[in-house]
Amino acid sequence: MDPLVVVTFAVVALLEILVPLALGYWFVKKFGLSWRVFALGALFFIVVQVFHAPLVLVTQTPLYLALLPFGTTAALAGLAIYLGLMAGLFEEIGRYLVYCYIFPRQSLSLSRENGLLFGTGWGGIESMIVALIVLSGMVSYILLTGDGGAIPLPDDPLVQAEIEALRALTPFDILPGLAERMMTITLHIAWSLMVLAAIVYGKKMLLALAILWHAAVDAAAVYLAQTQGILVTEAVIFVFAVLALAYIFWEWRRMGIRAAS
């Protein structure tokens, strides 16, 4: 067991929890917002997943098997597109419905500031859930690679191969997950602003664009992770995140001009 790997697991999990909370705190204090907006983003991410996750779990394997006659590459590409579209449809339409029906009931304005905080809550709770998975991975790493082995394991070559893979982990294998969470939060804020803009400007085409953008990111991540590896995948997500950051600043300015006029 490498102590640096354990420390990296712990630090990554801690930052995946603290960064979205710190960002939310900054927005709340800077703009005088309510934590209710952050909480709504977090709550409805979970609500959406209650419907989204089971549907994907039930349908993805039959779809992949149905596409296999066209070749493994085509099957993987088709599955990636499907998973991306499901994520885009459920999450962006979910945001749209919250803005249209929940915000008015909570007497919350459809302002650019609330859009930022709502997106932070939406992406932030996802980051926190991932942090719990990272912590469970840390516990497994400690138990399975510690001296003497804390868990009795069968003398099976496959099991031993998995243990050796765990022992081969380095801190650099864990850090990309943290970078991905930060990039994903940026994307969720951008999508939240785009869906908000669809309502504010009365242009449902922006909702469709948010769905397609979300679908493209998720589809690329699924396909590239299986075919090109983690570094290429993270590089592509980084490009999407830079575009998202540019959009956030652009939309922030545009909404500000509209509010002032």
Side-chain angles (χ1 to χ4, degrees), residues 12-22 124 127-129 131-132 135:
V12 165
L14 183 63
L15 289 175
E16 287 176 344
I17 293 170
L18 291 182
V19 168
L21 288 175
S127 181
M128 294 175 202
I129 292 169
L132 296 179
L135 287 174

Side-chain angles (χ1 to χ4, degrees), residues 18 21 40 47 62 64 79 107 131 134 151 237-238 243 259:
L18 291 182
L21 288 175
L40 283 173
V47 169
Y64 181 76
L79 179 63
S107 300
V134 171
I151 300 176
I237 294 175
F238 176 75
L243 293 173

Side-chain angles (χ1 to χ4, degrees), residues 82-137:
Y82 170 74
L83 294 176
L85 281 173
M86 288 298 100
L89 287 167
F90 273 91
E91 294 197 42
E92 303 317 319
I93 291 175
R95 277 187 248 263
Y96 184 85
L97 293 176
V98 174
Y99 284 143
C100 286
Y101 298 104
I102 305 300
F103 268 50
R105 291 184 181 181
Q106 294 291 320
S107 300
L108 296 170
S109 65
L110 295 177
S111 67
R112 57 182 185 169
E113 293 84 2
N114 278 339
L116 288 180
L117 188 56
F118 181 73
T120 304
W122 193 287
I125 193 64
E126 183 183 37
S127 181
M128 294 175 202
I129 292 169
V130 171
L132 296 179
I133 297 171
V134 171
L135 287 174
S136 70

Side-chain angles (χ1 to χ4, degrees), residues 13 30 43 71 115 117 130 138 142 176 198 204 211 219 222 229:
K30 182 174 179 62
L43 172 63
L117 188 56
V130 171
M138 180 185 74
I142 293 171
K204 290 189 178 179
I211 292 170
V222 171

Side-chain angles (χ1 to χ4, degrees), residues 49-255:
Q49 298 312 316
V50 168
F51 297 96
H52 173 219
L55 177 62
V56 167
L57 286 173
V58 169
T59 57
Q60 62 181 351
T61 299
L63 175 63
Y64 181 76
L65 293 175
L67 293 173
L68 266 181
F70 299 99
T72 55
T73 300
L76 178 59
L79 179 63
I81 292 170
Y82 170 74
L83 294 176
L85 281 173
M86 288 298 100
L89 287 167
F90 273 91
E91 294 197 42
E92 303 317 319
I93 291 175
R95 277 187 248 263
Y96 184 85
L97 293 176
V98 174
Y99 284 143
C100 286
Y101 298 104
I102 305 300
F103 268 50
R105 291 184 181 181
Q106 294 291 320
S107 300
L108 296 170
S109 65
L110 295 177
S111 67
R112 57 182 185 169
E113 293 84 2
N114 278 339
L116 288 180
L117 188 56
F118 181 73
T120 304
W122 193 287
I125 193 64
E126 183 183 37
S127 181
M128 294 175 202
I129 292 169
V130 171
L132 296 179
I133 297 171
V134 171
L135 287 174
S136 70
M138 180 185 74
V139 172
S140 297
Y141 177 81
I142 293 171
L143 293 177
L144 295 174
T145 65
D147 294 337
I151 300 176
L153 296 169
D155 188 17
D156 185 294
L158 292 176
V159 174
Q160 294 304 315
E162 290 179 7
I163 301 301
E164 289 306 314
L166 282 175
R167 289 188 177 130
L169 279 177
T170 70
F172 296 105
D173 295 317
I174 303 162
L175 288 172
L178 175 61
E180 181 178 330
R181 283 304 98 207
M182 301 306 103
M183 293 186 289
T184 303
I185 290 172
T186 304
L187 285 161
H188 278 299
I189 293 173
W191 294 329
S192 294
L193 276 180
M194 185 171 284
V195 174
L196 180 66
I199 299 170
V200 170
Y201 302 135
K203 296 181 178 179
K204 290 189 178 179
M205 182 59 68
L206 289 172
L207 173 61
L209 182 58
I211 292 170
L212 292 175
W213 186 2
H214 194 149
V217 173
D218 280 29
V222 171
Y223 183 80
L224 292 174
Q226 296 297 319
T227 59
Q228 303 298 322
I230 189 67
L231 291 180
V232 172
T233 304
E234 299 301 332
V236 171
I237 294 175
F238 176 75
V239 172
F240 278 119
V242 170
L243 293 173
L245 192 60
Y247 172 75
I248 290 168
F249 283 111
W250 179 78
E251 191 61 76
W252 176 266
R253 182 174 178 274
R254 185 167 72 141
M255 285 189 174

